[in-house]
Amino acid sequence: MGLRVSETVSGGPRSLTSALHERLRADILATRLLPGQKINIASLAKQFEVSLAAVREALSRLTADGLVQASDQRGFRVTPVSLSDLSDITRTRIDIEGLALRRSIEFGDERWLIAVQQSWEALKAVPAHDPDQAPAHHDEWMSRHRVFHRTLVSACGSPWLLGFRDVLHEQSERYRRLSIRGEIGKTRDVEAEHATIVAAVLDRDTEAAVRALALHFSVTKEFVELAAFRIAEVSAAH
């Protein structure tokens, strides 16, 4: 897993806990820690050279994020996945993020429109796939993709709405990462989907923008479902 947390962070226990939380969160979202996988607190403490208390605190934060489950008898494990959960996440994300986009188009000023355009241009400037790790997405593309979608809704004016949106985004991202662990025999034009959303936003065409965003999320759900056999195998293994 690379560098130990203690090698990358200076400061007190709170800083170490935050660093460990971010590291474990990244490993879960990138599916390096798989759905249903048991988490050994002592092993993590030894690996990252932190205290048991720091590991428990980091895992408690991940539990609040919905990425980890806690049980009195079984300890901690990465939250399992299922197609019913995916459907629920997608429907709710369409509702929540659609509302945030509506409000952003209503309240967003010229600076917001420029930010949307810039984040879109930045996303297009890097390849979506890493040729050395196909079919997985390029890490830099993933980072810019996250920024792009967050920028689209950033002018909604509601920290609560953005907070709910962020949780749903992370949950759906985990499913999407699982779906691209291997080929599924079908392709999509993600850039064209993004372009349709951006064009509607820049025109301040609310209905078209929300419709394009919902379709974008629905297509992602379809592709995850095509990889359901692989997701089921991953979940069953843990």
Side-chain angles (χ1 to χ4, degrees):
M1 286 189 177
L3 290 174
R4 296 183 293 272
V5 169
S6 59
E7 293 177 332
T8 60
V9 177
S10 60
R14 187 173 299 274
S15 296
L16 287 172
T17 299
S18 296
L20 181 59
H21 168 263
E22 288 303 313
R23 180 56 184 274
L24 293 176
R25 172 182 165 277
D27 285 343
I28 291 171
L29 294 180
T31 67
R32 289 185 289 270
L33 289 173
L34 295 171
Q37 182 172 335
K38 293 181 180 178
I39 300 174
N40 188 300
I41 295 176
S43 294
L44 287 178
K46 182 178 180 180
Q47 177 183 349
F48 293 113
E49 296 186 351
V50 297
S51 68
L52 294 175
V55 176
R56 291 193 185 94
E57 174 62 24
L59 291 174
S60 294
R61 294 185 190 181
L62 290 167
T63 300
D65 295 338
L67 296 175
V68 167
Q69 290 182 343
S71 170
D72 290 339
Q73 290 76 30
R74 299 181 180 179
F76 292 93
R77 65 172 178 163
V78 179
T79 300
V81 295
S82 69
L83 290 182
S84 60
D85 184 55
L86 169 66
S87 294
D88 190 13
I89 289 170
T90 302
R91 286 193 302 268
T92 308
R93 191 180 178 198
I94 287 172
D95 290 342
I96 293 294
E97 202 145 344
L99 175 59
L101 184 59
R102 285 181 182 276
R103 291 187 179 180
S104 290
I105 293 173
E106 178 182 357
F107 302 137
D109 57 14
E110 191 64 26
R111 287 187 301 175
W112 170 69
L113 291 176
I114 292 173
V116 169
Q117 182 69 43
Q118 289 176 337
S119 66
W120 166 226
E121 294 295 338
L123 179 60
K124 290 192 296 180
V126 297
H129 297 281
D130 186 338
D132 296 327
Q133 300 181 25
H137 279 133
H138 195 286
D139 285 345
E140 182 60 26
W141 186 90
M142 290 298 308
S143 177
R144 297 187 187 196
H145 181 249
R146 182 174 62 252
V147 170
F148 166 70
H149 273 286
R150 188 56 154 72
T151 303
L152 284 173
V153 297
S154 61
C156 71
S158 171
W160 278 103
L161 192 55
L162 288 175
F164 292 139
R165 177 264 166 201
D166 290 346
V167 170
L168 291 166
H169 170 81
E170 290 197 341
Q171 290 291 337
S172 62
E173 180 66 9
R174 195 164 62 113
Y175 279 94
R176 195 187 63 76
R177 288 288 191 101
L178 284 170
S179 74
I180 60 174
R181 289 170 67 88
E183 297 289 353
I184 59 175
K186 188 175 181 180
T187 60
R188 64 188 290 196
D189 192 342
V190 176
E191 185 169 317
E193 294 172 26
H194 289 155
T196 301
I197 298 170
V198 171
V201 167
L202 296 180
D203 288 342
R204 291 191 182 273
D205 187 337
T206 303
E207 296 307 318
V210 172
R211 186 167 56 249
L213 186 69
L215 178 60
H216 180 56
F217 293 160
S218 296
V219 172
T220 296
K221 173 178 172 289
E222 175 187 344
F223 271 70
V224 175
E225 289 172 339
L226 288 172
F229 69 93
R230 186 182 309 112
I231 294 174
E233 289 175 352
V234 168
S235 298
H238 294 87

